[in-house]
Amino acid sequence: MSDQKPWKTIESGPYDYRQALHPVVRKNYGKWKHHEMPRPGVLKHTAASGDVLYTVRAGTPRQDSVDLIRRICDVADKYADGYLRFTVRNNVEFMTADEGNVELLIRELENIGLPVGGIGPCVTNLAHTQGWLHCDIPATDASGVVKSVMDNLFDYFTSWRLPAKVRISTSCCAINCGGQADIAIIVKHTRPPRINHDILANICELPKVVARCPVAAIRPTVVNGRQSLMVDHEKCMYCGACFGACPAMEINHPEHSKIGIWVGGKNSNARSRPAMGCLVAQNLPNNPPRWPEVNEVVKKILEVYAKEGKPWERLGEWIDRVGWKHFFAATDLVFEKDMIDTYRHARTTFNQSAHIRF
């Protein structure tokens, strides 16, 4: 028997990202001279070689149908040399070296219901967690909140009405994939899970549920002569992680799942260091399908920021300049004593950035 394998190993991992780059990008990679923003949703990149590349950005629903994806690909084939990419905030971008294709791209995208915008001093598409489509522990479906908020902020996406870009995120629970943003909309459970002891032992692996709790609040017990679980309410932080391992640990509740809004978060090092967001509104009702209370708060914050912020000043930087007292007064939000935490006693106040500090 031969020691030589009769087959060839085929790499099944991700493709080299360079294969997906537009030829103009590949040619001038790392050699760009400058960029301009001719209009909302459009970028013009100029390379040191003199090559020019236009990028047109459009917002998408994120949970896109196959038919919509095919129509998007048809637009890319027609006007963008077959190249497109999706951003982390669920926008789709088309690249073309032909300036004449820019207006045609915009017209075609708007005809299929995809608004062009999200570049420059505006609100770009919301980043949000998986919601009920993919995740097993959310307090609500983040997709619904995103839909209602972006409908309400549509004009802020397609026009330049703000001092600087505004990043908004939604998180359908308090412990998972959201992230820091200028405005973060976070859904939070406000009570421990309700345990259905009748079915728990039949459908759940008890050790897995105990191990799933990040604060060790779940422990084995016996109820009516059957193996079950109990929750230490003093330890429980209402995160909902147990529900993902066991549907009998019901955490969602139409009355006790609330929404909080955080502001001032920032990931980048541009002009100022990264920052943690601070809570400014809490216990807002989780009120589908349009979430009017959440929309009212977000819209008011943006209106005041648009009026008072200086050019290129991010929302958190504006708050640092005017102070929290003025922020709450200008936005008509109610300050509560447990809202603002500056993390003074956490390792170097979470100043994890590239800035030099003395």
Side-chain angles (χ1 to χ4, degrees):
M1 185 176 179
S2 173
D3 292 334
Q4 188 173 2
K5 291 191 300 184
W7 68 87
K8 181 181 179 182
T9 301
I10 299 176
E11 174 57 54
S12 58
Y15 287 97
D16 187 331
Y17 71 93
R18 285 169 291 194
Q19 297 180 35
L21 296 178
H22 190 282
V24 176
V25 177
R26 199 178 307 130
K27 174 187 173 184
N28 298 283
Y29 197 87
K31 301 175 183 177
W32 297 98
K33 188 176 180 182
H34 62 84
H35 76 268
E36 307 166 44
M37 294 182 288
R39 53 162 290 177
V42 178
L43 281 170
K44 178 183 178 182
H45 292 275
T46 303
S49 65
D51 291 343
V52 173
L53 185 70
Y54 293 89
T55 298
V56 177
R57 175 184 292 179
T60 76
R62 183 182 188 269
Q63 295 170 359
D64 303 331
S65 68
V66 174
D67 289 339
L68 178 60
I69 294 294
R70 286 174 175 160
R71 296 181 74 179
I72 289 173
C73 290
D74 289 341
V75 173
D77 287 338
K78 194 172 180 180
Y79 299 112
D81 305 314
Y83 289 86
L84 63 87
R85 67 178 183 180
F86 283 88
T87 73
V88 295
R89 306 188 76 83
N90 320 313
N91 298 300
V92 60
E93 293 186 345
F94 303 83
M95 288 142 283
T96 177
D98 185 353
E99 183 178 2
N101 283 339
V102 172
E103 288 300 326
L104 297 175
L105 261 170
I106 294 172
R107 192 179 313 146
E108 190 88 14
L109 290 167
E110 292 179 344
N111 284 340
I112 64 175
L114 300 183
V116 172
I119 290 177
C122 59
V123 172
T124 190
N125 211 354
L126 270 70
H128 70 92
T129 52
Q130 302 301 312
W132 288 331
L133 187 65
H134 296 295
C135 188
D136 57 5
I137 67 171
T140 192
D141 186 16
S143 308
V145 181
V146 168
K147 167 68 171 139
S148 69
V149 171
M150 283 307 292
D151 282 351
N152 196 42
L153 302 181
F154 186 86
D155 291 341
Y156 285 100
F157 179 84
T158 57
S159 62
W160 289 337
R161 304 173 58 184
L162 296 168
K165 62 185 176 183
V166 170
R167 302 284 190 245
I168 303 178
S169 70
T170 63
S171 303
C172 42
C173 71
I175 64 170
N176 285 282
C177 36
Q180 295 301 314
D182 296 286
I183 300 176
I185 303 166
I186 302 176
V187 189
K188 191 178 188 307
H189 310 290
T190 60
R191 56 181 272 173
R194 296 163 289 167
I195 305 175
N196 188 337
H197 296 286
D198 294 334
I199 65 172
L200 189 146
N202 295 334
I203 66 173
C204 303
E205 297 180 23
L206 273 59
K208 182 197 296 185
V209 184
V210 173
R212 186 79 177 261
C213 182
V215 293
I218 300 175
R219 61 195 65 172
T221 189
V222 176
V223 177
N224 297 326
R226 303 181 63 185
Q227 292 293 322
S228 189
L229 298 171
M230 63 171 289
V231 176
D232 184 342
H233 290 195
E234 294 297 320
K235 287 186 176 182
C236 180
M237 65 178 186
Y238 324 138
C239 67
C242 56
F243 176 69
C246 180
M249 309 282 289
E250 178 59 56
I251 189 74
N252 295 301
H253 194 285
E255 181 182 350
H256 296 286
S257 290
K258 301 290 187 178
I259 293 181
I261 294 179
W262 302 60
V263 301
K266 181 171 174 286
N267 289 318
S268 75
N269 278 307
R271 295 178 309 282
S272 60
R273 65 193 180 202
M276 301 284 285
C278 291
L279 181 68
V280 296
Q282 62 181 344
N283 294 323
L284 299 175
N286 184 16
N287 191 7
R290 301 307 300 174
W291 287 270
E293 297 83 2
V294 172
N295 273 298
E296 181 182 357
V297 172
V298 172
K299 190 73 173 287
K300 182 63 176 179
I301 291 172
L302 284 178
E303 287 174 346
V304 176
Y305 168 59
K307 180 180 178 182
E308 298 188 1
K310 294 181 179 180
W312 306 108
E313 186 177 50
R314 293 286 292 271
L315 192 144
E317 295 166 345
W318 162 65
I319 295 173
D320 287 342
R321 177 171 60 84
V322 301
W324 284 111
K325 183 177 180 179
H326 176 80
F327 170 84
F328 278 97
T331 57
D332 295 324
L333 295 175
V334 178
F335 173 76
E336 299 177 47
K337 64 182 179 63
D338 57 345
M339 280 185 168
I340 306 302
D341 187 344
T342 57
Y343 301 97
R344 291 185 183 277
H345 302 293
R347 53 178 190 187
T348 63
T349 66
F350 283 115
N351 291 344
Q352 309 303 308
S353 76
H355 284 75
I356 297 175
R357 298 185 296 276
F358 295 96

